[in-house]
Amino acid sequence: HTKLLSELVKQPDNSTCADCGAPGPRWASWNIGVFLCIRCGGFHRRIGTHITKVKSISLDNWTPEQIEHFRRIGNKRANAFFNPHPD
């Protein structure tokens, strides 16, 4: 799982935090399908697991279904849905 997620996070649309744009995200909200920096991952954890479910890209275990969700969604698609007008 770590290798697959590492490949996904290297893609241009996923190489920065979905929320703040910081480079090199190491966390992810697996139910939303976005990669996050550690700071934004902390914010997501405080929002609550009933809304966003955060895991480490390299430290936590991932199911094949969770990884597949990232292949379908990713930062660009999720931000277009959840934050279509960032200005």
Side-chain angles (χ1 to χ4, degrees):
H1 72 271
T2 303
K3 182 180 176 186
L4 293 172
L5 289 168
S6 294
E7 290 172 9
L8 288 172
V9 81
K10 288 178 186 173
Q11 294 176 352
D13 291 336
N14 297 329
S15 64
T16 60
C17 175
D19 287 358
C20 73
R26 302 301 307 149
W27 293 85
S29 173
W30 64 263
N31 65 314
I32 294 175
V34 295
F35 292 101
L36 304 163
C37 68
I38 192 166
R39 182 175 169 262
C40 292
F43 288 137
H44 276 249
R45 282 190 186 270
R46 285 191 291 272
I47 291 171
T49 57
H50 62 291
I51 296 175
T52 179
K53 300 173 187 324
V54 178
K55 285 186 171 189
S56 167
I57 292 172
S58 58
L59 300 175
D60 291 316
N61 292 321
W62 291 74
T63 66
E65 294 81 14
Q66 291 168 340
I67 295 170
E68 185 57 34
H69 186 65
F70 274 90
R71 288 182 187 203
R72 288 191 315 269
I73 306 294
N75 289 1
K76 184 177 181 180
R77 183 175 256 162
N79 276 336
F81 179 79
F82 289 107
N83 191 18
H85 306 289
D87 340 326

